Amino acid sequence: MSKIWIDGKFIDSSKAKVSVFDHGLLYGDGCFEGIRIYNGRILKLRSHIVRMFESAASIRLQPGHSIDEMEEIVRETVAINEQKDGYIRLVFTRGKGTLGLNPFLCPTATVIVIVESIKLYPNEMYEDGMSIIVANRPRVPKECLDPQVKSLNYLNNILAKIEAIDAGVLEALMLNLDGEVAECTGDNIFIIKDGTISTPPTSAGILNGITRQLVIEDIAPDLGYTVQERKLDLEEVLDADEVFLTGTAAEVIGVSHIGEKSVGCGKVGPITHALEDKFRKMVSENAPED
Ligand code: PMP
């Protein structure tokens, strides 16, 4: 049984609970991070914690710990669970309050660190590629709730994920209100055309994925590619030679079909395979923790 860190105490996972008056539960008022542990190292721990604090600041939530303290708490939770490979879920909720909306009537944030093992997409998908659909539901516009805030309000993504599951696939591509390509429900998207890799800019209204940044800054350049961050329309994605997704849980995964249409020749392309391999090599040998 794993031990959950919750508000300063380690609690057995079967006994860890939050109040029914917690605004995280009542209103989705809070934020979270998903982080991976590879071979005893915590991939991009610092970047995840910094993003968590940015999410918290943008909803005016104060977790009551500094960035350094939070890093220490996460490391301690990983150590006590003796988890060498796995997944960390970090959650800040607004905490216990009244039934009213006022977040400032919640005196103390609830802070939770969960360490678990992880189930990735099935192995064959990394070899053969995954099928996705284009969701009918647009991504929530940044003027309403900026997708750069990794908030506990994931209903926009969940409703698009339901569209995917109804269509018999596991991921859905979401467009923004201007019809530009944004991101998938839990992953960022990249395309490759004539040897050039492109991905939507954060201004399209997306989460600036840590894996996305790793591909742009390290993995693609290590293989001799520069990634262009630019507006993409759906036609370009459907016409790409290769399409791949990135995310903490997904890592780097090729897309073989979008709806009825095959991507390239309907298999994972060579550049995507090279990026997948480079990512796996990096995390298994020496995952950067910065
Ligand atoms: N977009 C969304 C909406 C996500 O929830 C995630 C994380 N699952 C991503 C993109 C990928 O981000 P990261 O690489 O930081 O996990």
Side-chain angles (χ1 to χ4, degrees):
M1 194 189 299
S2 69
K3 297 261 185 222
I4 315 289
W5 193 97
I6 176 159
D7 291 337
K9 296 195 193 87
F10 285 109
I11 311 275
D12 284 344
S13 57
S14 64
K15 302 208 175 95
K17 291 188 175 63
V18 292
S19 161
V20 293
F21 291 99
D22 193 304
H23 277 212
L25 174 69
L26 291 173
Y27 296 117
D29 184 355
C31 52
F32 75 103
E33 278 295 320
I35 313 171
R36 289 286 290 277
I37 315 160
Y38 291 99
N39 207 5
R41 292 178 63 82
I42 307 177
L43 180 64
K44 291 294 206 182
L45 173 61
R46 191 78 183 181
S47 305
H48 279 284
I49 293 188
V50 167
R51 186 172 71 181
M52 183 74 169
F53 275 72
E54 285 168 0
S55 293
S58 65
I59 60 170
R60 294 181 55 191
L61 186 156
Q62 284 166 352
H65 299 277
S66 68
I67 290 186
D68 286 342
E69 283 165 1
M70 221 42 247
E71 185 171 331
E72 213 29 61
I73 292 165
V74 169
R75 288 189 187 282
E76 225 185 294
T77 313
V78 170
I80 207 166
N81 283 289
E82 295 176 5
Q83 196 88 33
K84 289 261 170 292
D85 287 278
Y87 181 87
I88 303 162
R89 173 58 57 91
L90 180 57
V91 184
F92 296 163
T93 80
R94 188 76 64 180
K96 252 187 274 179
T98 66
L99 288 180
L101 281 178
N102 189 346
F104 305 118
L105 295 178
C106 306
T108 322
T110 303
V111 176
I112 303 169
V113 185
I114 305 170
V115 175
E116 285 278 340
S117 47
I118 186 165
K119 190 180 175 305
L120 287 177
Y121 292 130
N123 276 344
E124 329 58 274
M125 276 195 188
Y126 291 86
E127 279 308 310
D128 305 336
M130 78 185 293
S131 296
I132 66 172
I133 57 152
V134 181
N136 288 318
R137 181 172 301 272
R139 191 78 176 95
V140 74
K142 52 183 184 300
E143 292 77 6
C144 294
L145 176 58
D146 193 336
Q148 293 217 56
V149 180
K150 203 165 162 57
S151 84
L152 292 179
N153 243 287
Y154 252 51
L155 275 178
N156 178 229
N157 315 51
I158 288 170
L159 290 171
K161 176 92 175 179
I162 289 174
E163 287 188 52
I165 294 166
D166 283 347
V169 300
L170 294 178
E171 208 17 314
L173 174 59
M174 303 180 79
L175 309 179
N176 65 21
L177 280 183
D178 296 325
E180 298 158 4
V181 171
E183 61 179 339
C184 291
T185 68
D187 300 303
N188 291 114
I189 187 162
F190 290 73
I191 67 166
I192 306 171
K193 183 73 181 174
D194 300 328
T196 300
I197 310 177
S198 309
T199 194
T202 51
S203 59
I206 62 168
L207 181 73
N208 188 5
I210 306 277
T211 325
R212 171 187 185 275
Q213 294 171 50
L214 206 55
V215 166
I216 295 172
E217 288 162 20
D218 296 298
I219 295 172
D222 280 356
L223 292 173
Y225 295 96
T226 310
V227 178
Q228 294 185 356
E229 290 177 72
R230 63 179 178 86
K231 285 184 181 177
L232 295 179
D233 57 37
L234 183 58
E235 282 62 43
E236 277 183 276
V237 176
L238 297 174
D239 185 46
D241 301 328
E242 301 182 33
V243 174
F244 66 91
L245 311 182
T246 61
T248 295
E251 304 179 330
V252 177
I253 186 163
V255 173
S256 59
H257 295 83
I258 303 177
E260 299 293 296
K261 191 167 179 318
S262 51
V263 175
C265 45
K267 297 198 180 91
V268 178
I271 301 175
T272 302
H273 263 313
L275 293 163
E276 273 182 19
D277 291 348
K278 188 90 201 162
F279 178 89
R280 292 234 160 119
K281 193 164 181 302
M282 172 194 272
V283 297
S284 63
E285 286 176 357
N286 195 18
E289 294 196 321
D290 57 343

